[in-house]
């Protein structure tokens, strides 16, 4: 099955969850996507990791092909979903890898259930603190709200994507497989238009949860090793403010986490699992095999 995933649906903790099983043997590696994404963000990273490890990628609550209830988007519930999945599948001592918001889910789980994890990996995430970035919750809800895709067809959407921006570059780099990753965030309705699989209401529920999420309060409670892999573009003047803010947040995490290591992903964008999958996979692989998480 290595390199050819199977899609599995099972109910864990009352939630029907979709898992993309990439096979492999050895240390379990579990992959969590970010906000308004799906397990498909790992399509290029997972098969590389599966050469050495047992790898699954998960659609989290409200996302992708997992269940979409109208409640349970606080971090305790979402981290609880991950715990129920690990226990339900009998996955012992995994390395839990999260991208963006998924890294913050991993952080919450590591703080709440240190018995479950061998280690966690932040891939350009794990440091989101909306209350430190925005003046009020209302500001966060406006600034972090999803785009409105009502009335847009798949063809129109892909024309917009290809017209410019980072995903246009990623599609030029990977072709149709990258298109499949971005289109996996949507379903096509009977009228031929798109609808995001993560509903707007559920997206806003997650933003409210992020407002109450304070990573610096959680870091001291994490006993397992943490590999931080932030992305940055030091030569890009347009990314200067983001790079500065990310440097400050990583420095704070380094001070407060009992056991951490930082590997900067240079010349990398936020969606680095698609942009530079070999770099992401090899960095994780090297640190597992070198015993960082032991």
């Amino acid at each position: 099955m290595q390199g050819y995933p199977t899609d599995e649906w099972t109910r864990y903790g009352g939630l029907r969850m979709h898992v993309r099983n990439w096979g492999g043997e050895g240390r379990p590696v579990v992959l969590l996507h970010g906000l308004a994404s799906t397990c498909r963000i790992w399509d290029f990273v997972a098969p590389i990791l599966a050469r050495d490890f047992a790898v699954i990628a998960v659609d989290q609550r409200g996302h992708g092909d997992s269940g979409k209830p109208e409640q349970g988007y606080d971090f305790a519930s979402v981290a609880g979903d991950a715990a129920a999945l690990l226990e339900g599948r009998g996955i012992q001592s995994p390395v839990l890898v999260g991208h963006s918001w998924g890294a913050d889910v991993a952080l919450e789980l590591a703080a709440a259930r240190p018995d479950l994890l061998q280690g966690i990996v932040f891939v350009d995430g794990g440091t989101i603190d909306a209350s430190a970035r925005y003046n009020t919750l209302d500001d966060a809800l406006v600034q972090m709200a999803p785009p409105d895709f009502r009335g847009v067809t798949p063809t129109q959407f892909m024309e917009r994507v290809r017209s410019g921006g980072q995903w246009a570059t990623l599609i030029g780099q990977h072709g149709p497989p990258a298109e499949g990753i971005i289109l996996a965030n949507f379903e096509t309705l009977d009228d031929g238009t798109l609808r995001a699989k993560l509903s707007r209401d559920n997206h806003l529920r997650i933003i409210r949860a992020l407002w109450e999420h304070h990573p610096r309060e959680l870091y001291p409670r994490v006993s397992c090793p943490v590999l931080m892999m932030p992305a940055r573009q030091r030569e890009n003047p347009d990314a200067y403010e983001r790079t500065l803010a990310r440097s400050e947040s990583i420095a704070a995490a380094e001070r407060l986490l009992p056991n951490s290591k930082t590997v900067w992903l240079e010349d990398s964008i936020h969606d680095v699992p698609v942009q530079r999958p070999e770099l992401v996979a090899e960095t994780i692989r090297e640190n597992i095999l070198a015993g960082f998480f032991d």
Side-chain angles (χ1 to χ4, degrees):
M1 187 172 61
Q2 183 178 313
Y4 299 92
T6 59
D7 291 296
E8 304 167 1
W9 286 263
T10 312
R11 189 169 292 275
Y12 301 107
L15 178 71
R16 187 172 184 265
M17 297 187 73
H18 168 240
V19 170
R20 179 160 273 212
N21 188 344
W22 288 90
E25 299 178 351
R27 173 69 57 82
V29 176
V30 179
L31 306 171
L32 301 179
H33 60 76
L35 175 60
S37 184
T38 77
C39 67
R40 297 287 306 277
I41 196 76
W42 299 108
D43 275 7
F44 300 143
V45 171
I48 302 173
L49 290 174
R51 299 170 189 166
D52 298 282
F53 314 111
V55 181
I56 64 170
V58 183
D59 276 338
Q60 300 195 76
R61 176 182 295 251
H63 293 77
D65 295 326
S66 285
K68 299 171 177 59
E70 295 180 356
Q71 67 284 326
Y73 293 91
D74 57 284
F75 273 99
S77 296
V78 179
D81 293 338
L85 180 141
L86 296 178
E87 294 177 320
R89 294 180 73 96
I91 299 174
Q92 297 182 354
S93 302
V95 173
L96 185 61
V97 182
H99 176 235
S100 192
W101 167 72
D104 289 84
V105 176
L107 171 62
E108 291 272 356
L109 181 57
R113 292 290 308 274
D115 57 303
L116 289 180
L117 305 175
Q118 190 74 22
I120 57 176
V121 180
F122 297 165
V123 179
D124 210 37
T127 63
I128 299 173
D129 190 336
S131 64
R133 181 177 179 184
Y134 301 103
N135 292 326
T136 66
L137 173 58
D138 286 341
D139 288 340
L141 290 169
V142 170
Q143 296 298 321
M144 299 177 70
D148 187 353
F149 296 106
R150 287 177 296 181
V152 177
T153 68
T155 299
Q156 292 169 335
F157 174 74
M158 290 311 302
E159 286 175 351
R160 292 184 188 180
V161 172
R162 295 190 196 98
S163 66
Q166 293 181 337
W167 270 91
T169 302
L170 297 179
I171 290 171
Q173 177 183 349
H174 296 291
E179 294 183 8
I181 290 171
I182 194 169
L183 286 172
N185 295 305
F186 302 92
E187 59 183 329
T188 302
L189 303 178
D190 291 341
D191 65 0
T193 62
L194 291 176
R195 179 170 64 191
K197 290 182 178 178
L198 177 65
S199 72
R200 180 180 180 84
D201 286 345
N202 287 341
H203 192 127
L204 295 178
R205 290 182 176 107
I206 293 174
I207 295 171
R208 291 187 177 93
L210 283 167
W211 186 259
E212 302 295 332
H213 169 75
H214 306 295
R216 298 185 191 198
E217 297 177 2
L218 297 172
Y219 294 146
R221 295 165 47 192
V222 177
S223 57
C224 68
V226 181
L227 174 62
M228 296 188 287
M229 299 169 51
R232 67 180 173 189
Q233 298 173 290
R234 288 190 293 184
E235 303 304 318
N236 180 0
D238 294 334
Y240 174 78
E241 290 187 5
R242 182 184 187 277
T243 297
L244 180 61
R246 184 55 46 85
S247 297
E248 292 173 348
S249 65
I250 292 296
E254 290 173 334
R255 289 194 304 270
L256 295 169
L257 284 165
N259 184 4
S260 73
K261 176 181 179 180
T262 303
V263 178
W264 285 95
L265 305 181
E266 304 291 357
D267 303 317
S268 299
I269 64 173
H270 180 59
D271 286 322
V272 65
V274 179
Q275 179 207 17
R276 306 186 71 189
E278 296 85 1
L279 175 62
V280 172
E282 287 302 319
T283 302
I284 296 169
R285 173 183 177 274
E286 289 171 4
N287 280 276
I288 294 176
L289 295 181
F292 174 69
F293 299 103
D294 296 336

